[in-house]
Amino acid sequence: MSQNTLFDKIWSAHSVRVLPTGQTQLFIGLHLIHEVTSPQAFDMLRKRELTVRFPKRTFATVDHIVPTTEEGRERPFLDVIADDMLTHIEQNCREFDITFFGLGHEGQGIVHVIGPELGLTQPGLTIACGDSHTSTHGAFGAIAFGIGTTQVFNVLATQCLLLKKPKVRQIKVNGELPPGVFAKDIILAIIGKLGVKGGIGYAYEYTGSAVDGLDMEGRMTICNMSIEGGATCGYINPDQTTVEYLKGRAFVPKGARFDQAAKQWLELSSGSDAVYDDVVEIDGNSLSPMTTWGITPGQVVGMDDPIPNDADPEALSFMGLTVGQRIIGTKIDVAFIGSCTNGRISDLREAARAITEHGLTVASHVTALVVPGSESVRKQAETEGLHEIFRNAGFEWREAGCSMCLAMNPDKLEGSQRCAASSNRNFKGRQGSPTGRTHLMSPASVVASAAAGEIASLQQLVA
């Protein structure tokens, strides 16, 4: 069993008691909620005549269902169900005294983007949210769990969760990433190696020189997709990069209190004598731009590599591909940059840089969208003129939200359209059409694919 890892330290510090079932009652330091998984939880509170136990530890936003066009955001929404969800979270937050970053608020955005932006996400915290990609927050040295609606109710009512302690797997990625290889390529390579069920029963600790060299937003991309590898959560030990990112954020301590907090954060890191349940090593020097060929994030290859001989026939049939085929050069219809995986300002800067440096424009048959992960990201991008770079290249520039990552708003694939996407899931129907096909890749590869009109990496496009 793991010992003296960051995970063990945080788990121990937040354990209330161990039940006869073996589960731990774990105190949750930060609870994030959104409009999709919280309405039923609040109804449960009312039926039991309960209140929110610690309302100042819960923060709310709206992200999944919001339209990303200016006219689409006028209330009421055309989608009656979506408007009803928004109305409910507005009412619930007022009734239970919960801070809500709603439409028009500068803090609005995808829940896993605004938490770090606002400094709500801090090292050493236990974090829960009714969303699969809550693992994102582990990039700060927190342990963060995606939970279901009943567990959202549990946290609202008690500020605790009942969880079985997972094992800890250390994943070392050492070496220097080749040009054109990004955090998204690292995590796709990890999932490809370990599988979408390889992480079941584990927390993933990401480490190694290639991980240490990433900025905080790259680290968030890696931790974000831990759940796609089956892991309970994923985290990275806090370091000076973490401290510098958090300094000055709205909810982070200031002055001497910040210095004290930073000292405590750095002491949380896994000890040199830490014991892990498993260790996996990946050579960062050997990584290349990656993309998925199938219907899970684990069905992935390097763009120059052929689809493997043991590829799942069902996935191949759905995607219209064949064994041995190189994925590069496959015609696309849609290009999407956004989501809680790759909708941050550094993602948009990298995509815009690729456009500018190589004079790229979107192919005439491709519909291309850039959707900022938050209102703050949108404003910063517009301050830097990135929106004009995207527009001039043929991309649509949208308002903040989850958009085409999932099919809960008007941004959807149609028919059997094929999409190059910077998001996190490529399941059947994920982007709105039951026959739509999704290829996951980095934002730079999405730009390259949009310009080529077919799946491409930046390396290949500019060679």
Side-chain angles (χ1 to χ4, degrees):
M1 199 67 183
S2 65
Q3 297 176 22
N4 203 28
T5 67
L6 175 142
F7 185 88
D8 293 298
K9 296 177 185 179
I10 297 176
W11 185 277
S12 176
H14 291 79
S15 294
V16 178
R17 58 175 175 154
V18 178
L19 277 63
T21 61
Q23 291 179 302
T24 299
Q25 182 182 357
L26 202 67
F27 184 79
I28 299 301
L30 173 66
H31 188 202
L32 301 170
I33 61 174
H34 59 75
E35 75 281 9
V36 176
T37 54
S38 67
Q40 305 90 331
F42 283 106
D43 286 344
M44 293 180 202
L45 281 181
R46 293 189 184 91
K47 287 177 182 176
R48 290 164 175 76
E49 299 183 346
L50 297 173
T51 60
V52 175
R53 183 70 179 85
F54 291 105
K56 299 307 178 189
R57 288 182 178 271
T58 296
F59 295 84
T61 189
V62 57
D63 51 13
H64 284 58
I65 55 90
V66 294
T68 60
T69 60
E70 191 172 342
E71 60 274 19
R73 291 163 93 95
E74 293 179 5
R75 301 287 299 275
F77 297 156
L78 289 177
D79 184 337
V80 176
I81 295 175
D83 197 78
D84 190 53
M85 285 184 184
L86 180 51
T87 299
H88 273 87
I89 197 167
E90 290 169 338
Q91 293 174 342
N92 289 330
C93 288
R94 279 196 300 270
E95 180 179 342
F96 291 96
D97 193 25
I98 291 170
T99 300
F100 177 52
F101 304 111
L103 281 187
H105 192 289
E106 61 183 12
Q108 183 264 331
I110 305 176
V111 65
H112 308 311
V113 176
I114 68 163
E117 275 181 356
L118 293 167
L120 292 167
T121 303
Q122 296 177 19
L125 287 177
T126 48
I127 300 174
C129 176
D131 187 273
S132 301
H133 297 98
T134 306
S135 54
T136 306
H137 306 267
F140 291 81
I143 57 175
F145 308 100
I147 58 177
T149 292
T150 300
Q151 291 172 305
V152 172
F153 159 70
N154 291 338
V155 178
L156 288 173
T158 70
Q159 204 62 35
C160 290
L161 280 175
L162 294 180
L163 296 169
K164 181 181 178 183
K165 186 180 180 183
K167 295 184 283 188
V168 182
R169 172 179 288 148
Q170 186 185 46
I171 301 177
K172 297 180 181 178
V173 187
N174 283 311
E176 185 175 347
L177 298 178
V181 176
F182 301 93
K184 184 64 159 289
D185 302 302
I186 294 176
I187 189 60
L188 285 174
I190 290 171
I191 298 171
K193 178 181 179 70
L194 300 176
V196 293
K197 296 182 179 178
I200 292 176
Y202 282 95
Y204 280 176
E205 177 183 295
Y206 303 101
T207 187
S209 58
V211 174
D212 295 343
L214 296 173
D215 63 17
M216 287 310 300
E217 298 195 348
R219 297 179 186 187
M220 283 186 254
T221 296
I222 290 180
C223 290
N224 172 277
M225 291 188 69
S226 301
I227 188 68
E228 305 305 335
T232 303
C233 62
Y235 68 89
I236 295 170
N237 288 305
D239 59 9
Q240 201 57 39
T241 300
T242 318
V243 172
E244 291 302 318
Y245 177 94
L246 289 171
K247 193 172 186 178
R249 304 259 166 197
F251 285 86
V252 171
K254 305 296 189 296
R257 290 179 58 229
F258 177 80
D259 295 336
Q260 180 62 30
K263 182 174 181 293
Q264 293 173 347
W265 293 340
L266 295 175
E267 291 172 351
L268 288 168
S269 294
S270 298
S272 58
D273 61 344
V275 176
Y276 297 88
D277 298 287
D278 190 30
V279 177
V280 173
E281 298 193 29
I282 290 178
D283 179 13
N285 298 294
S286 67
L287 296 180
S288 61
M290 308 288 289
T291 186
T292 55
W293 58 263
I295 53 176
T296 78
Q299 292 170 333
V300 61
V301 291
M303 286 201 179
D304 286 326
D305 298 329
I307 295 173
N309 292 332
D310 60 353
D312 175 25
E314 178 190 353
L316 285 174
S317 175
F318 182 83
M319 297 298 289
L321 301 170
T322 57
V323 166
Q325 179 179 345
R326 293 174 71 221
I327 195 75
I328 207 163
T330 304
K331 184 180 178 183
I332 65 165
D333 307 291
V334 179
F336 168 60
I337 297 175
S339 84
C340 60
T341 311
N342 283 122
R344 297 182 175 81
I345 188 64
S346 62
D347 298 310
L348 304 195
R349 285 172 180 157
E350 188 60 37
R353 185 189 64 78
I355 291 170
T356 302
E357 284 191 2
H358 304 295
L360 303 179
T361 57
V362 175
S364 58
H365 67 275
V366 173
T367 299
L369 285 74
V370 179
V371 185
S374 71
E375 181 66 8
S376 174
V377 171
R378 183 187 68 79
K379 287 185 176 179
Q380 182 61 35
E382 292 183 356
T383 298
E384 297 178 21
L386 304 186
H387 65 311
E388 293 298 345
I389 293 174
F390 288 121
R391 281 174 173 160
N392 291 337
F395 283 86
E396 297 178 26
W397 176 251
R398 297 292 189 87
E399 304 286 330
C402 292
S403 182
M404 196 173 274
C405 177
L406 77 175
M408 299 187 72
N409 58 73
D411 301 341
K412 301 177 182 180
L413 295 185
E414 297 177 356
S416 297
Q417 284 183 322
R418 189 182 296 273
C419 179
S422 72
S423 48
N424 45 54
R425 284 185 169 165
N426 54 337
F427 306 157
K428 291 180 180 178
R430 172 71 176 182
Q431 292 191 284
S433 168
T435 53
R437 297 166 290 185
T438 303
H439 297 274
L440 305 177
M441 60 186 72
S442 72
S445 292
V446 173
V447 166
S449 300
E454 57 189 33
I455 293 177
S457 70
L458 207 54
Q459 292 169 319
Q460 173 252 345
L461 196 65
V462 301

